[in-house]
Amino acid sequence: DAMVIQNPRYQVTQFGKPVTLSCSQTLNHNVMYWYQQKSSQAPKLLFHYYDKDFNNEADTPDNFQSRRPNTSFCFLDIRSPGLGDAAMYLCATSRDGGWSATWVYGYTFGSGTRLTVV
Amino acid sequence: RKEVEQDPGPFNVPEGATVAFNCTYSNSASQSFFWYRQDCRKEPKLLMSVYSSGNEDGRFTAQLNRASQYISLLIRDSKLSDSATYLCVVKTLAGGTSYGKLTFGQGTILTVHP
């Protein structure tokens, strides 16, 4: 089945040690998003790619970076993880289907990567 | 003020009960509206889109009031398997594009008990 795959499902990293989370999709969607969801909170958008164009949210810390080498893959890099970065990181995709089609499209989410910082 | 606000609950209801969730949003430019379901430690999954005319999918009914910027979800004949967190979600088009960004409410926790 076409889907959004995130690896790994669980990631433990040391305080301050760079970590990379990956996301791949077989849906050929041109928009990819990274969300951070802390315990009992809403998912919060960090940034998104429209094709190769990177769009950062204003309040996303510089510690978070992203790469999209091709349509299928997108990476989230945390340069120096702190204890407060422990969260579920969700990758999602959507397609730009034009004005009318966009109306009903939600996102397709990956299963998420749960990051623990020790 | 949060862009999307929900009563976090929790709602504890017996099987067979009818339960309603409410949500308000602050951005009048929001274009599309959804309810997502999230099980514990899992990713959100689309439950249903919400249309201005109201829409129904089996036991689930969603309503949208654009004037009041209010969205609702009604679940009839609750099942044990309905226990989850229900997220109210609005989509706002990214400037100059035809795709959007989703903004999530905090979610409402529902527990259905025997």
Side-chain angles (χ1 to χ4, degrees):
Chain A
D1 283 338
M3 58 177 60
V4 180
I5 300 168
Q6 289 188 246
N7 284 306
R9 288 293 303 274
Y10 301 92
Q11 175 74 56
V12 180
T13 191
Q14 289 181 333
F15 182 94
K17 183 175 180 181
V19 65
T20 294
L21 311 182
S22 75
C23 177
S24 64
Q25 55 126 340
T26 58
L27 298 159
N28 204 34
H29 284 174
N30 51 353
V31 193
M32 294 186 78
Y33 308 81
W34 280 103
Y35 280 81
Q36 178 194 61
Q37 187 177 24
K38 295 186 178 180
S39 181
S40 301
Q41 295 185 22
K44 179 180 178 298
L45 182 64
L46 295 173
F47 26 59
H48 72 276
Y49 272 95
Y50 178 79
D51 290 330
K52 289 184 180 291
D53 294 332
F54 176 71
N55 298 271
N56 201 31
E57 292 300 297
D59 56 355
T60 298
D62 292 341
N63 197 27
F64 292 86
Q65 305 283 322
S66 186
R67 296 170 284 134
R68 189 179 186 186
N70 53 53
T71 300
S72 301
F73 285 88
C74 195
F75 300 98
L76 169 62
D77 300 308
I78 308 177
R79 292 193 296 189
S80 181
L83 298 179
D85 296 328
M88 169 86 94
Y89 289 88
L90 295 159
C91 174
T93 71
S94 73
R95 59 173 166 164
D96 177 4
W99 186 270
S100 60
T102 302
W103 169 251
V104 298
Y105 292 148
Y107 291 177
T108 302
F109 280 90
S111 300
T113 294
R114 186 164 296 278
L115 179 69
T116 300
V117 182
V118 298
Chain B
R1 183 187 171 187
K2 292 180 183 175
E3 272 196 65
V4 182
E5 296 214 51
Q6 294 180 250
D7 178 352
F11 286 63
N12 291 293
V13 303
E15 275 186 288
T18 295
V19 61
F21 303 140
N22 302 319
C23 170
T24 57
Y25 61 96
S26 61
N27 188 344
S28 59
S30 296
Q31 295 288 326
S32 311
F33 309 90
F34 308 90
W35 283 100
Y36 274 71
R37 169 192 171 129
Q38 187 171 27
D39 293 296
C40 188
R41 304 177 78 85
K42 297 284 184 68
E43 76 277 18
K45 291 188 176 175
L46 180 63
L47 179 66
M48 59 196 302
S49 303
V50 187
Y51 305 122
S52 296
S53 55
N55 50 298
E56 190 174 302
D57 182 2
R59 299 181 292 109
F60 299 85
T61 301
Q63 296 278 353
L64 167 66
N65 184 321
R66 281 189 181 272
S68 303
Q69 296 181 196
Y70 170 90
I71 307 160
S72 66
L73 176 69
L74 184 77
I75 305 175
R76 292 182 300 277
D77 188 23
S78 300
K79 312 290 185 193
L80 296 176
S81 58
D82 293 334
S83 297
T85 297
Y86 290 83
L87 298 160
C88 176
V89 184
V90 303
K91 180 189 277 190
T92 307
L93 292 185
T97 74
S98 57
Y99 67 97
K101 300 191 296 183
L102 294 186
T103 302
F104 289 79
Q106 184 182 2
T108 300
I109 299 170
L110 172 66
T111 301
V112 181
H113 57 82

